[in-house]
Amino acid sequence: MPLPSAHLPAPPAVTSDWALFLDVDGTLLDFADAPGDVVVQPGLVDVLAVLHGRLDGALALVSGRRLAQLDELFAPLHLPAAGLHGLERRDDGHESLHARPVALDAVLAAARSLAAKFPGARVEDKGVALALHWRGSPAAEEPLHEFATSALIDLPGYHLQPGNHVVELRPDGAHKGEAVLELMTHAPFHGRRPVFVGDDLTDEAAFKAVGSHGGFGILVGARQPSAARYALHDPAAVRDWLEEGLSLA
Ligand SMILES: [Mg+2]
């Protein structure tokens, strides 16, 4: 049996009338020191492929990663997905990517030359978003933050998203709740009971979205408060639970 979490009961098994939305890092995959070092456990791709079929295609990945990265991780699958918290979407093979503003190129170049002054600081080009990391260089925090704040002037419709030793310049209106609701408006998700599984604060919007549409959230871990109704202990418990669902869905 998958281990439940301390505060919430373990979820029921997957059934064939669900629309299943899965966060990736910290939910399907264990965290690694660097996002590029995550390991996809043997067998997980097969489990997702079979579940995707049992749910008539209503299984989607909803992640902060880019679609291209998700495809790389879960190759050869091209699952329905929302990447970059919903800025990138794909369902039924059709992809919609948020347009990258021209001004972002100049901001990226300026960010790189600033980061170059702080060994260990890093600029990550996420296509429509830009992440400034200072985990390797605490002294870079203030200058990178100041830079990001001033860069907003050149990027209308963007906001700052602070994170763990990182600040991201990101287009407005991207959150996982919105991404799930959008996917729910059409086939194969429409009319099914939406269930979202996630571990992070950014997943709370999605828990609320599925809760308001007859479904529920499943929290990975024990973070409280949470809008999730059920919980699983860790990604290994999520993988066990999905595998168990195969026989029932
Ligand atoms: Mg996560």
Side-chain angles (χ1 to χ4, degrees):
M1 281 295 287
L3 280 176
S5 177
H7 300 279
L8 295 165
V14 179
T15 59
S16 58
D17 62 335
W18 285 11
L20 187 55
F21 302 97
L22 303 168
D23 169 52
V24 174
D25 292 86
T27 295
L28 291 176
L29 309 181
D30 298 289
F31 284 114
D33 285 341
D37 294 343
V38 290
V39 173
V40 178
Q41 294 296 314
L44 178 58
V45 168
D46 292 334
V47 169
L48 292 176
V50 176
L51 259 184
H52 179 243
R54 299 269 173 90
L55 297 174
D56 286 329
L59 180 150
L61 303 175
V62 182
S63 171
R65 288 181 185 265
R66 309 195 66 182
L67 290 185
Q69 290 179 312
L70 296 176
D71 289 345
E72 221 169 273
L73 283 170
F74 297 100
L77 300 181
H78 287 266
L79 292 168
L84 293 176
H85 298 92
L87 288 173
E88 298 184 341
R89 311 246 175 96
R90 174 177 61 218
D91 50 283
D92 283 345
H94 178 79
E95 288 190 6
S96 80
L97 306 180
H98 196 280
R100 178 186 167 104
V102 181
L104 205 55
D105 290 338
V107 172
L108 173 65
R112 283 192 169 140
S113 61
L114 175 62
K117 295 178 188 158
F118 300 92
R122 204 163 57 80
V123 177
E124 184 186 2
D125 182 359
K126 300 181 99 174
V128 294
L130 194 64
L132 310 172
H133 300 266
W134 59 81
R135 187 179 299 279
S137 175
E141 175 173 0
E142 205 180 311
L144 286 180
H145 227 282
E146 264 172 31
F147 170 83
T149 306
S150 62
L152 283 179
I153 297 164
D154 297 320
L155 295 167
Y158 270 63
H159 66 277
L160 294 189
Q161 176 69 50
N164 195 346
H165 295 86
V166 61
V167 65
E168 211 169 296
L169 285 154
R170 191 186 283 178
D172 296 339
H175 70 77
K176 288 183 172 184
E178 197 106 328
V180 166
L181 290 178
E182 210 276 330
L183 286 166
M184 286 297 297
T185 58
H186 43 257
F189 304 96
H190 185 72
R192 288 171 164 268
R193 166 176 274 208
V195 176
F196 190 97
V197 191
D199 68 298
D200 207 350
L201 264 182
T202 56
D203 298 317
E204 289 294 329
F207 293 154
K208 287 185 189 139
V210 293
S212 65
H213 283 70
F216 53 82
I218 301 172
L219 174 69
V220 184
R223 180 175 43 75
Q224 289 292 316
S226 171
R229 195 190 304 168
Y230 300 101
L232 289 162
H233 187 66
D234 57 15
V238 174
R239 294 189 292 264
D240 286 349
W241 172 76
L242 289 175
E243 201 168 342
E244 268 183 27
L246 286 186
S247 51
L248 303 163

